[in-house]
Amino acid sequence: LDENLKKQAELSKDLAQLEEKRRSITSISITNEFIAERTGSDDYRCLLGIPALIQRDFLMLSELVRRQNQDILNDLKHENSPNVINRIILYIDDLDRCKDKHVIKVLQAVHLLLAFDLFVVLVAVDARWLNNALVKYYPALVKQAEQGDHPTADDYLEKIFQIPFWIEPLVDDAKRNIIGGLLRGQLAGGEGGTIDDYVDTPLKIEEDHQKILDSMRNRGQPLSMEASDLSVSQKESMFLSSLAPLLVGTPRTVKRFVNLYQLLRIIHQPKPEDENAIPSDHEILAFALAIGDGLPRLASPLFKHLMKADDFETITVSTNFFKKNRFEEEATRLLNWLECRIEWSTLSCRRMKPHVALAQRFLFRVGGYLEQQEVLQHDLEAPTVPN
């Protein structure tokens, strides 16, 4: 009887607890209990993909850094500690060298990072490349006038990038500064030392290599391979700077122009009488390079015309043939440069031809445009030169 009474008392206590729990159970408590159980479970977490895991870790890291920065503001003595990470700045360059799918993946990653205050992302890119990649990857971004208002690539990008900043083209003075800076250490008798300061060690050239070099040149003199040949005179440097109005306004193209000139002045060994002429052979060579690299649309048809023109036709007359349609802007720039230089405006095609032939082989844009002559014929009739 005592055992049963004891058992009855325990059951009564359990019954009272169950009744208390039953009265406390509501739809709200059931929902909260289910959420708590699912949150603590690994059933879903083990199936999360890489982006979700990255987002979780970045969220935690962002919160930790936020707390740390708040503590620093409250206690400034730790502000300059080398171990403190206040923010992560990510620089992305050359995105316009990637395939379309990689461009899209990077944009998606940038969008993910910018969701956190921890990150600042700086992207240097040609916006045209982004636009082309987005249009190919998302056909819905193709703007169709007949459909009225339509999402575009710009709409996509402005949801990712908060502050666009367009780099302005270099002005002529900036181009001259770059040219002068690149040549400063190679001026004969200037900061680069005199030609006698160089140790001339001729390179040994095999017969097969010599044939290749000869095919690149239009002169019969031996090829000079002395280190001193890389030096330029003050006069040359000043002339190269004067070509700044013809060059494209980016540091990369200006640097390529200077490097190509130094290379070609070694390959091209002018005759003494040509070098003493006005303008000199080296100056004409630099002039041809400036046209080819700085006036890409005009260069191809102009060079093609120069190679077929009468020897006594002037560069001014040749350029005037192309002062229309899509060549107008570049032709005007060239004519403006020639106008204030009488010795250049009367330069004959006979003197230009060998330099054009050499320069064309070292220019990116001209090679591409030479393959599009059929397209050019629709925009410009082949000019004829009167006898």
Side-chain angles (χ1 to χ4, degrees), residues 317-347:
V317 172
S318 298
T319 305
N320 271 308
F321 282 121
F322 299 93
K323 195 179 177 182
K324 60 179 178 179
N325 297 338
R326 60 176 177 173
F327 307 115
E328 181 176 359
E329 187 273 333
E330 294 185 354
T332 301
R333 282 169 55 197
L334 178 55
L335 290 171
N336 289 341
W337 189 90
L338 293 169
E339 186 177 4
C340 57
R341 296 170 174 83
I342 185 63
E343 69 277 12
W344 284 94
S345 61
T346 57
L347 183 66

Side-chain angles (χ1 to χ4, degrees), residues 205-216:
I205 304 174
E206 301 296 335
E207 183 178 355
D208 292 342
H209 295 166
Q210 185 64 55
K211 292 180 180 178
I212 296 175
L213 291 171
D214 289 341
S215 69
M216 297 167 64

Side-chain angles (χ1 to χ4, degrees), residues 308-323:
K308 296 181 178 180
D310 184 271
D311 284 350
F312 297 100
E313 181 181 327
T314 66
I315 181 65
T316 302
V317 172
S318 298
T319 305
N320 271 308
F321 282 121
F322 299 93
K323 195 179 177 182

Side-chain angles (χ1 to χ4, degrees), residues 240-296:
L240 294 179
S241 296
S242 74
L243 293 170
L246 301 181
L247 300 175
V248 178
T250 64
R252 182 183 292 109
T253 56
V254 176
K255 183 177 181 180
R256 181 171 62 242
F257 164 72
V258 173
N259 290 339
L260 279 176
Y261 173 73
Q262 290 183 282
L263 171 65
L264 293 187
R265 73 189 297 277
I266 294 176
I267 296 176
H268 178 73
Q269 298 294 318
K271 295 178 180 179
E273 60 269 23
D274 290 336
E275 190 59 18
N276 294 328
I278 299 176
S280 69
D281 263 22
H282 279 160
E283 290 175 337
I284 299 176
L285 179 59
F287 177 60
L289 285 174
I291 293 175
D293 211 18
L295 307 174

Side-chain angles (χ1 to χ4, degrees), residues 5 15 23 38 48 66 70 140 180 233 259 265 279-280 298 305 330 350:
L5 290 174
L15 179 61
R23 288 191 296 269
R38 288 291 85 195
L48 288 177
R66 186 194 66 78
Q70 187 61 47
S233 66
N259 290 339
R265 73 189 297 277
S280 69
L298 174 66
H305 172 73
E330 294 185 354
R350 179 186 64 82

Side-chain angles (χ1 to χ4, degrees), residues 145-161:
E146 63 272 13
Q147 295 183 6
D149 191 16
H150 196 80
T152 65
D154 290 340
D155 298 327
Y156 182 98
L157 293 173
E158 71 177 7
K159 292 178 174 62
I160 299 178
F161 299 104

